[in-house]
């Protein structure tokens, strides 16, 4: 067997082998009392956008597509979700201090307004998560109003 074939066989074995090592999924199945929707009256139009464009990476319940079980992509997704939840977790939003909540609302408004959220790497695959101008305005208006109410 040539060196090239040995390398290809070795890579195939590695790719098949890593499929057996799946990360834990981010699915709690419950809505905690600290969830933003239990702490604040979230208008339906805001809630719909948050569910479509934000919750997969920023809550305790991710909706996983079929490709999320294929390695090494699943590891990348798990890392991405972990980092997203460390930055902002809508499931734990009510446990944040008032100051932190106000700062998060301001930050969310700025990031949605300047187009840095949702991430391009997410919207590349999840086309329905791309925010329209109207959705950006709905979110930033509500985020700004919430930040102002927490003065």
């Amino acid at each position: 067997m040539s060196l090239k074939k040995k390398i290809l066989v070795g890579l195939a074995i590695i790719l098949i082998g890593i499929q057996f090592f799946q990360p834990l999924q981010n699915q709690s199945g419950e809505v905690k009392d600290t969830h933003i929707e239990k702490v604040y009256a979230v208008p339906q139009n805001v809630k719909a956008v948050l569910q479509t464009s934000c919750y997969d990476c920023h809550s305790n319940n991710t909706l996983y597509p079929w490709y999320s079980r294929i390695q090494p992509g699943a590891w990348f997704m798990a890392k991405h979700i972990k980092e997203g939840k460390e930055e902002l977790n809508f499931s734990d939003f009510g446990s944040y201090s008032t100051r932190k909540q106000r700062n998060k609302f301001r930050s969310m408004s700025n990031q949605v307004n300047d187009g840095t959220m949702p991430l391009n790497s997410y919207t590349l695959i999840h086309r329905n998560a791309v925010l329209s101008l109207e959705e950006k305005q709905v979110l930033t208006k509500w985020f700004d109003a919430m930040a102002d109410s927490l003065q």
Side-chain angles (χ1 to χ4, degrees), residues 3-22:
L3 179 61
K4 196 175 198 180
K5 283 185 180 180
K6 287 179 183 180
I7 291 172
L8 287 174
V9 168
L11 286 175
I13 290 170
I14 290 170
L15 283 174
I16 291 169
I18 65 175
Q19 301 310 310
F20 295 101
F21 300 94
Q22 296 291 325

Side-chain angles (χ1 to χ4, degrees), residues 39-96:
V39 177
Y40 295 107
V42 181
Q44 186 57 41
N45 58 344
V46 172
K47 179 180 175 179
V49 177
L50 291 176
Q51 287 175 332
T52 302
S53 300
C54 307
Y55 283 1
D56 277 349
C57 296
H58 296 286
S59 79
N60 292 342
N61 289 295
T62 300
L63 299 175
Y64 287 93
W66 64 269
Y67 57 82
S68 67
R69 304 292 282 162
I70 301 170
Q71 299 300 2
W75 292 331
F76 173 76
M77 277 183 69
K79 181 179 182 289
H80 193 80
I81 292 166
K82 180 180 180 284
E83 290 171 353
K85 286 174 55 178
E86 286 172 356
E87 183 62 33
L88 168 69
N89 188 341
F90 287 108
S91 297
D92 294 332
F93 199 83
S95 67
Y96 297 167

Side-chain angles (χ1 to χ4, degrees), residues 129-145:
V130 175
L131 297 175
S132 68
L133 181 59
E134 180 184 343
E135 289 170 327
K136 285 183 179 185
Q137 290 171 342
V138 164
L139 286 179
T140 56
K141 181 179 176 183
W142 188 73
F143 291 153
D144 291 342

Side-chain angles (χ1 to χ4, degrees), residues 26 40 49 68 86 94 103 105 112 146 150:
N26 181 47
Y40 295 107
V49 177
S68 67
E86 286 172 356
N103 290 339
F105 279 126
V112 165
M146 293 307 297
L150 296 173

